[in-house]
Amino acid sequence: MFFILLLIFVLIPVVELNVLIEVASAIGSWTTVGLVLFTAVVGVSLVRSQGLSTLMTVQQKLARGEAPGQEIVEGMMLAAAGVLLLIPGFVTDFIGLILLTPFTRAPIAKFLYKRMQLRMVTHGGFKAGFGPGQGPFGQSGPFGGQNPFEQNGNTFDGDFERKDEQSRSHHIEQNKSDNDIIDVEPLDPKDDQK
């Protein structure tokens, strides 16, 4: 993991600087700066429009009762594309455009979604952030390692009774002329049984 982070934070900026220097020597430095700013502005507007269209697709699938898994992956890819397009440079802009374009984004999202489904089936779910097989409450979980649905003598039993509006614990009277509350008095428990 450390090697991947080192690769991302060291190799990508070195490649970006090299490409920026080469482009600036070919077309001029101010033209290169303008082109980088232009790609950032256009990229963010495209991310917004593609994000809205993906959101509409998610809502339509939810309305039909379908799971919008691939569309959620596409939404995450759009967020990554937005970040990549905002980073100054042509290499990150190119990767962001690949993630942004629908005919390249859809197959990548489908592949990633299938891999996530496969991981869920083979490994029994995602275990991100808390170590192998451990949740945020430790190994035992929030119920001390017990299944909360097992009946082992810790069952609480009670009765439920719905009461009407007249049996509240306080009685409020209103003055009919100016709608101000004039008196608040507690009711006797004997009054509830009338």
Side-chain angles (χ1 to χ4, degrees):
M1 184 68 180
F2 175 74
F3 181 71
I4 293 172
L5 290 175
L6 183 69
L7 187 72
I8 289 172
F9 288 112
V10 173
L11 187 63
I12 289 179
V14 168
V15 170
E16 284 288 1
L17 283 173
N18 189 26
V19 171
L20 283 171
I21 290 169
E22 291 295 323
V23 170
S25 67
I27 65 173
S29 62
W30 288 110
T31 308
T32 304
V33 169
L35 194 57
V36 167
L37 291 174
F38 176 74
T39 57
V41 169
V42 169
V44 167
S45 66
L46 287 173
V47 165
R48 181 175 180 229
S49 67
Q50 290 295 317
L52 289 174
S53 109
T54 303
L55 180 64
M56 296 293 278
T57 307
V58 166
Q59 289 176 342
Q60 289 170 354
K61 278 198 164 188
L62 286 174
R64 289 191 305 255
E66 299 174 12
Q70 182 175 341
E71 286 76 15
I72 291 174
V73 173
E74 285 187 32
M76 291 187 297
M77 290 173 63
L78 285 171
V83 170
L84 289 171
L85 288 167
L86 283 176
I87 295 173
F90 296 112
V91 175
T92 54
D93 287 348
F94 178 72
I95 296 169
L97 285 174
I98 288 174
L99 296 178
L100 182 65
T101 310
F103 58 85
T104 56
R105 183 182 68 235
I108 295 171
K110 186 175 185 179
F111 171 76
L112 291 175
Y113 183 60
K114 294 286 184 192
R115 293 230 352 149
M116 288 182 354
Q117 283 180 328
L118 182 64
R119 183 176 175 152
M120 288 286 289
V121 170
T122 58
H123 298 296
F126 291 110
K127 295 174 180 61
F130 299 110
Q134 185 175 3
F137 300 105
Q139 286 284 10
S140 61
F143 300 106
Q146 297 176 354
N147 184 352
F149 301 108
E150 289 180 2
Q151 292 189 3
N152 55 358
N154 293 332
T155 304
F156 293 99
D157 191 14
D159 292 329
F160 171 74
E161 181 180 332
R162 186 176 304 271
K163 298 195 180 234
D164 63 347
E165 289 292 319
Q166 293 291 329
S167 63
R168 292 186 162 180
S169 62
H170 288 82
H171 179 68
I172 300 174
E173 293 181 11
Q174 291 185 345
N175 190 349
K176 303 292 185 214
S177 62
D178 57 357
N179 290 334
D180 291 331
I181 298 174
I182 59 169
D183 190 17
V184 177
E185 62 184 54
L187 292 175
D188 274 345
K190 295 181 277 182
D191 292 340
D192 282 347
Q193 296 177 5
K194 288 182 182 178

